[in-house]
Amino acid sequence: MTTALITGATAGIGAAFARRLAAEGHNLVLVARDVERLREQATELHDRHGIEAEVLPADLSRDEGIAAVEARLGDRQHSVDLLVNNAGFGNRGSYLEVPMADELAMLKVHCEAVLRLTSAAATGMRERGRGGVVNVASVAAFVPRGTYGASKAWVVQFTQGAAKDMAGSGVRLMALCPGFVRTEFHQRAGMSTGNIPGWMWLDADKLVATALADLARGKSVSVPDPRYKALMGLVKVTPRGLLGGVTSRTGRKYGPR
Ligand SMILES: NC(=O)c1ccc[n+]([C@@H]2O[C@H](COP(=O)([O-])OP(=O)(O)OC[C@H]3O[C@@H](n4cnc5c(N)ncnc54)[C@H](OP(=O)(O)O)[C@@H]3O)[C@@H](O)[C@H]2O)c1
């Protein structure tokens, strides 16, 4: 039986990964901050699918949280075969409206944690000659979209570069770039989603099924939906100034603090 570790496992895309991987018979290590929610999820997945679900509470915006997950990934007695770096969030507000401490917390979760956890996992995976890492980025990585988009651009560049460096090692690394997905993300960030057209919303379970198929195919970047593949094609030929006018506004209206 293989083991997958998922960060941000309790909600949205991470929870969809947990459901799918449990249904396929993988044991799980579930990471997030809310311990009660983690425990409930672990019990439910264990009871429904008969898998082992371990709970690892950690705040990935803090050094000790990242270190705790690094330690689990480095445990050679209980190796992790698939890492899903999914935990993430958006800050409320555009550039200069967001307190610097919140900007730095986002970089810590989206970039530092992803770098450190990928490295902790990939070291053992390379020794064993197999394994996979999915780093959840966003299509925001390809367009002007505040500091959030900039952090996700880092995730894509890092993952593609690491995948190239590890080619032939048996370890697959893939950046997953979803468009809008109905999760807790927008509510947590205080975003009003009223100006996002209905056709732009993706289903988390379908997204995860496509992502895992793309990982199995050996892709290093996955944009898992024909609508967004077409949009990203348009992005490549649209002048940057014009593009930013649309992409930096869509879905970025914030309610009062
Ligand atoms: N939803 C979208 O439209 C969308 C689109 C593109 C990309 N994404 C990306 O997809 C990923 C998942 O987002 P989602 O939409 O599924 O969000 P979500 O529903 O809000 O879930 C976020 C998950 O991350 C955990 N988390 C948040 N901050 C954390 C921290 N400091 N340490 C550890 N865990 C933390 C949360 O649990 P706790 O609060 O208990 O810690 C929760 O399990 C993110 O990286 C996001 O940027 C989302």
Side-chain angles (χ1 to χ4, degrees):
M1 231 179 187
T2 57
T3 299
L5 185 149
I6 305 163
T7 71
T10 49
I13 297 169
F17 267 106
R19 283 193 296 275
R20 173 83 189 199
L21 292 167
E24 289 179 357
H26 300 276
N27 288 330
L28 297 177
V29 185
L30 306 167
V31 179
R33 290 166 300 182
D34 184 332
V35 189
E36 271 317 301
R37 207 170 170 187
L38 280 168
R39 287 198 185 120
E40 275 172 31
Q41 185 190 27
T43 305
E44 192 193 319
L45 291 171
H46 168 78
D47 292 351
R48 181 168 300 182
H49 301 289
I51 54 116
E52 295 304 320
E54 209 177 304
V55 157
L56 176 44
D59 181 348
L60 297 174
S61 69
R62 300 175 67 88
D63 268 324
E64 50 274 33
I66 300 175
V69 185
E70 277 178 321
R72 177 61 188 85
L73 289 165
D75 181 350
R76 283 172 165 67
Q77 306 302 315
H78 304 96
S79 58
V80 169
D81 308 281
L82 174 66
L83 165 65
V84 183
N85 276 312
N86 162 79
F89 62 92
N91 281 318
R92 181 185 293 230
S94 49
Y95 178 56
L96 290 187
E97 291 169 7
V98 176
M100 188 51 67
D102 296 349
E103 293 284 16
L104 292 172
M106 189 171 72
L107 288 181
K108 191 118 184 160
V109 176
H110 289 183
C111 303
E112 183 179 334
V114 168
L115 169 66
R116 287 173 58 181
L117 300 187
T118 300
S119 306
T123 302
M125 288 175 182
R126 185 169 59 181
E127 285 166 14
R128 295 188 292 278
R130 66 190 158 79
V133 178
V134 176
N135 289 332
V136 181
S138 167
V139 290
F142 307 120
V143 296
R145 199 165 170 79
T147 55
Y148 175 82
S151 72
K152 293 301 190 179
W154 183 90
V155 176
V156 173
Q157 289 293 315
F158 160 65
T159 308
Q160 279 195 294
K164 274 272 172 246
D165 285 353
M166 294 198 70
S169 69
V171 184
R172 290 180 177 175
L173 294 98
M174 185 183 84
L176 171 61
C177 301
F180 292 113
V181 190
R182 287 199 196 280
T183 66
E184 296 173 14
F185 180 93
H186 302 92
Q187 196 192 355
R188 285 180 190 233
M191 289 174 165
S192 102
T193 52
N195 72 342
I196 303 172
W199 65 266
M200 291 190 92
W201 288 101
L202 302 175
D203 174 77
D205 292 303
K206 284 187 192 152
L207 169 87
V208 164
T210 310
L212 290 171
D214 281 349
L215 181 70
R217 277 189 210 111
K219 288 197 174 184
S220 64
V221 177
S222 167
V223 178
D225 186 89
R227 286 163 284 184
Y228 279 94
K229 281 194 176 82
L231 272 180
M232 291 310 109
L234 259 181
V235 158
K236 282 187 190 146
V237 296
T238 306
R240 214 61 192 161
L242 191 64
L243 188 67
V246 178
T247 61
S248 62
R249 282 198 306 269
T250 309
R252 287 184 82 217
K253 283 207 172 94
Y254 300 95
R257 279 175 197 274

